[in-house]
Amino acid sequence: MRSLVEAQLAVARDRNPELRALIRTLPPAAPAEGPLHGLTVSVKDNIDVAGVPTTAGSAHLGTEPAAVDAEVVRRLREAGAIITSKANLAEFAMGVVGRNAAFGDVRNARDPQRISGGSSSGSAVAVASGMSTAALGTDTGGSGRVPASVNGIVGLRPTLGRVSNEGVLPVGESFDTVTPLTRDVPTAAAMLAVLSSAGPPVDALPDPSVAALRFGVATGFFRARVDPGVRRVVDDVVAALRTAGAEILDVEVPGAAEAQDRMIEIMYPEAAAVHACRLREEPGTIDPDVLRRLRIGQSITPETAARAREWQREFRHRVDELFEDCDVVVMPTIPVDVPRRDAVDLAASTREIARFCYVWSCYGGPSISLPGGDHPGSGMPVGVQLSAAPWQENRLLRAAAGLEALV
């Protein structure tokens, strides 16, 4: 175990100056006995670790160390995990490309000239590059699934409310959840079994079988403006599922095209409220792209947000009905090949890159991104996203484990 920690710290010393995945490494403590004994974990730096400042990716936060561990960190330690580092992120966990002016832009583990995703960029890159075995990120509108996809690892967004957010700096409290990031589905399942504090128990060892499972292949919105190479990888995955005995049917997700806009009308005002004091007194200390989004939040009226919440309630009911006909829905995690860092328009990046993730954040059930294969043109990883009804993590993880065994 000591040799593993030392080897991963050596990787961090060697690669972190280029990748900027970690803000700081931590002295490893002796692990407790438990189901995660010896699992090394990097923690996104908007999640409190006792005795360590929480910067949230800002040069102007984290002046004092956190007094206690966040609930998720406490649970990991009690289960035997070793917290080895704090991971870099987009400032205030707002952004999908890995940009951070305070601690350096996080680079993609596969190709440093491409985006690392966000906002849990450092968490994903730490796992993908071998700086830790697993990581904690957070996911509001795709902040765990997007970096998992572009770095070729697994990112699991639980049902909203399953995992405690105590000790986590919020983005939008109506959508925030902590996200395990791992190299494989069984490790993600084992972590979620420990992290879960609400809902039915999570099976830490999902059965890797897709036989008799009903996979709904998302059409319409989820086929529009999709890169041909991404579509090819996902189509190959669907073909493999069918050959393995899964039932395949095309499904249309009602309201998918509108979900991102309505979610922003709820989430951005919540984010602006979190940072209201800084917006009022020190706006110049906020990253310009983050400031732009927070200002949008300030401009959204309570009446608009209330209408969006009413729309969301109806949207959730309609998607619930969809899951009467299928167990999980499958689609790309992001609709594009992993963009080059110098070709990304920051203002447009969230809307385009994360649009397939926002739909499921707005819904509130669990989703997972896992590697589906490499892009036939660029060779970069293509993430496949599976989504299920609320509290159906066991069904989702079974489907994911089975898919992982096929690709």
Side-chain angles (χ1 to χ4, degrees):
M1 186 183 307
R2 179 180 294 274
S3 62
L4 171 64
V5 174
E6 290 174 350
Q8 291 178 338
L9 289 174
V11 173
R13 287 193 297 271
D14 180 52
R15 300 205 65 191
N16 199 55
E18 176 191 24
L19 298 181
R20 300 290 182 181
L22 306 180
I23 290 176
R24 70 183 77 231
T25 56
L26 305 175
E33 292 298 326
L36 302 180
H37 181 73
L39 182 75
T40 58
V41 180
S42 181
V43 175
K44 186 176 180 179
D45 205 20
N46 62 339
I47 302 173
D48 286 346
V49 171
V52 183
T54 302
T55 70
S58 169
H60 304 280
L61 293 181
T63 56
E64 298 293 333
V68 296
D69 284 335
E71 173 66 11
V72 288
V73 173
R74 183 190 69 79
R75 284 174 171 264
L76 289 180
R77 288 197 205 270
E78 289 187 352
I82 305 170
I83 309 303
T84 58
S85 53
K86 296 299 291 287
N88 201 355
L89 66 154
E91 185 174 288
F92 301 157
M94 297 184 70
V96 300
V97 301
R99 182 175 181 273
N100 187 287
F103 299 102
D105 294 354
V106 182
R107 306 299 183 94
N108 188 288
R110 181 85 65 93
D111 179 355
Q113 300 308 311
R114 296 182 184 261
I115 69 165
S116 58
S119 63
S120 304
S121 44
S123 298
V125 172
V127 174
S129 65
M131 297 182 197
S132 63
T133 304
L136 287 183
T138 58
D139 190 310
T140 304
S143 286
R145 289 161 290 165
V146 171
S149 176
V150 303
N151 287 284
I153 65 168
V154 173
L156 171 59
R157 176 188 167 90
T159 298
L160 190 68
R162 177 179 280 283
V163 175
S164 172
N165 287 330
E166 181 183 349
V168 182
L169 183 73
V171 177
E173 292 182 329
S174 295
F175 306 99
D176 293 343
T177 185
V178 174
T179 302
L181 293 153
T182 63
R183 282 188 171 273
D184 56 62
V185 172
T187 305
M191 288 182 70
L192 185 59
V194 166
L195 296 172
S196 179
S197 57
V202 173
D203 184 357
L205 291 170
D207 173 23
S209 170
V210 299
L213 282 177
R214 301 169 300 166
F215 286 78
V217 179
T219 61
F221 174 76
F222 293 98
R223 299 287 286 186
R225 304 197 317 274
V226 175
D227 174 270
V230 171
R231 182 181 293 117
R232 176 176 164 184
V233 170
V234 175
D235 287 348
D236 287 348
V237 166
V238 171
L241 290 169
R242 180 181 285 111
T243 299
E247 181 181 344
I248 305 295
L249 62 155
D250 289 342
V251 297
E252 185 93 26
V253 180
E258 196 176 344
Q260 186 177 39
D261 286 340
R262 301 293 78 78
M263 181 172 157
I264 284 172
E265 290 171 348
I266 301 167
M267 179 185 72
Y268 276 14
E270 291 183 342
V274 171
H275 302 286
C277 181
R278 188 169 295 275
L279 282 167
R280 182 175 61 252
E281 298 177 2
E282 300 178 283
T285 65
I286 302 174
D287 177 273
D289 183 58
V290 175
L291 179 63
R292 176 186 63 81
R293 299 181 198 197
L294 294 175
R295 292 298 193 203
I296 291 172
Q298 289 182 312
S299 71
I300 294 171
T301 66
E303 292 77 16
T304 297
R307 285 194 297 270
R309 289 186 187 277
E310 180 60 34
W311 182 91
Q312 183 192 27
R313 284 190 285 272
E314 177 58 29
F315 168 69
R316 286 173 167 171
H317 289 316
R318 288 184 288 164
V319 179
D320 283 342
E321 294 175 356
L322 169 69
F323 283 113
E324 294 175 6
D325 297 322
C326 63
D327 298 307
V328 296
V329 177
V330 58
M331 73 230 82
T333 306
I334 67 173
V336 297
D337 189 13
V338 183
R340 294 183 61 86
R341 296 176 62 249
D342 58 8
V344 171
D345 181 294
L346 286 175
S349 62
T350 297
R351 179 167 296 276
E352 182 61 18
I353 294 171
R355 61 189 173 97
F356 290 173
C357 292
Y358 264 79
V359 175
W360 301 104
S361 294
C362 191
Y363 175 56
S367 296
I368 190 169
S369 177
L370 65 158
D374 290 340
H375 191 282
S378 69
M380 294 300 291
V382 174
V384 174
Q385 183 176 198
L386 303 178
S387 297
W391 310 109
Q392 294 299 320
E393 274 83 355
N394 288 333
R395 186 175 295 170
L396 179 76
L397 288 164
R398 177 188 165 194
L403 189 158
E404 185 175 64
L406 295 173
V407 300

